[in-house]
Amino acid sequence: MIGDERRLYSEAIAATLNLVQDFEVVATVNSRDEIVPTVLRKLPMVTVLGTNTTARNGRCLTDELRAAIPRCRIAVIGTTPGSPAKRQEAAAPGLLSVVPDNAALPQLVNAIRGLVVNNTGVPAGAPANSGGTPQHAGSPMDAALIRQPGCSGRSLSTREKEVLRLTAGGAPVREIAAELFLSPGTVRNVTSSAIKKLGGRNRFDAACIASKRGWL
């Protein structure tokens, strides 16, 4: 997902990234206040932010995103040395990458790939296939690695699908419980089962995997 208040800038980046093999831009957002809700709704693998969206009135958008989705992967474009995003990068290795606004497109592409690879347990630059052939920087990667973690193959129950569908919409546990006439504890148990089946890192990641597989 691309988040930047400059529409022309964000749409240009989105159009370019959509041309990259195994990349898909699921949304562009041009209002800072809509970025977090859209991430909760769309659950992108990586969110790309323009520098003018990262700070306002002392509030850092990267902090807001990571509070909403702790494992959210973020690429920030156009920060300067010593900026809040640059300092956060050192505190969130594998989850935050800062790309200067004068970088070439391959640097942004590699930063996005690196964020995905680092969170699937395969170190950047390490072999990404059973044949032992190393992936070189900038080379096309297996689409399954970019899109989503592996799935155990076990199907979701109707209740698990209902819970994940509401989770994908950004609903908190208590709201899901009220909607489905369940206790919060039952919702957590159902969510935990779905996470295990899908191999997700958390409930939002599990909802993202199920949605991309067309199960919701």
Side-chain angles (χ1 to χ4, degrees):
M1 192 193 90
I2 312 296
D4 194 284
E5 293 176 343
R6 298 165 293 182
R7 182 173 179 177
L8 181 61
Y9 179 87
S10 61
E11 290 186 353
I13 292 178
T16 303
L17 290 180
N18 271 327
L19 297 175
V20 179
Q21 182 178 343
D22 65 33
F23 274 38
E24 178 188 2
V25 178
V26 297
T28 58
V29 182
N30 304 121
S31 169
R32 186 189 191 280
D33 293 336
E34 290 299 315
I35 290 176
V36 172
T38 304
V39 169
L40 287 169
R41 186 169 63 254
K42 294 290 187 177
L43 300 172
M45 294 290 283
V46 177
T47 299
V48 179
L49 300 176
T51 185
N52 66 324
T53 63
T54 55
R56 184 180 65 184
N57 299 330
R59 296 167 58 209
C60 190
L61 183 56
T62 53
D63 280 338
E64 294 177 34
L65 279 171
R66 289 168 60 195
I69 305 179
R71 300 295 293 175
C72 181
R73 285 153 285 192
I74 307 167
V76 179
I77 302 175
T79 58
T80 57
S83 68
K86 194 67 180 175
R87 291 194 296 271
Q88 283 188 335
E89 182 183 23
L95 293 177
L96 180 66
S97 181
V98 177
V99 181
D101 55 10
N102 63 350
L105 177 62
Q107 187 170 342
L108 174 60
V109 171
N110 285 339
I112 294 171
R113 291 191 191 282
L115 288 169
V116 175
V117 172
N118 285 338
N119 282 274
T120 56
V122 182
N129 55 53
S130 59
T133 303
Q135 292 286 347
H136 299 287
S139 64
M141 294 174 63
D142 186 339
L145 179 62
I146 288 293
R147 294 297 180 199
Q148 57 206 20
C151 176
S152 66
R154 298 170 60 191
S155 61
L156 296 175
S157 68
T158 300
R159 182 66 78 193
E160 288 166 343
K161 290 178 181 179
E162 291 173 340
V163 169
L164 290 182
R165 188 180 299 113
L166 292 170
T167 298
V173 170
R174 290 192 177 278
E175 183 177 319
I176 294 173
E179 177 74 18
L180 299 178
F181 301 100
L182 302 172
S183 70
T186 298
V187 171
R188 293 189 183 94
N189 290 338
V190 171
T191 301
S192 178
S193 173
I195 290 172
K196 290 179 181 178
K197 288 181 179 180
L198 294 168
R201 292 174 298 278
N202 53 47
R203 68 192 187 100
F204 297 108
D205 189 39
C208 179
I209 294 169
S211 178
K212 288 183 176 179
R213 290 182 181 273
W215 293 351
L216 302 185

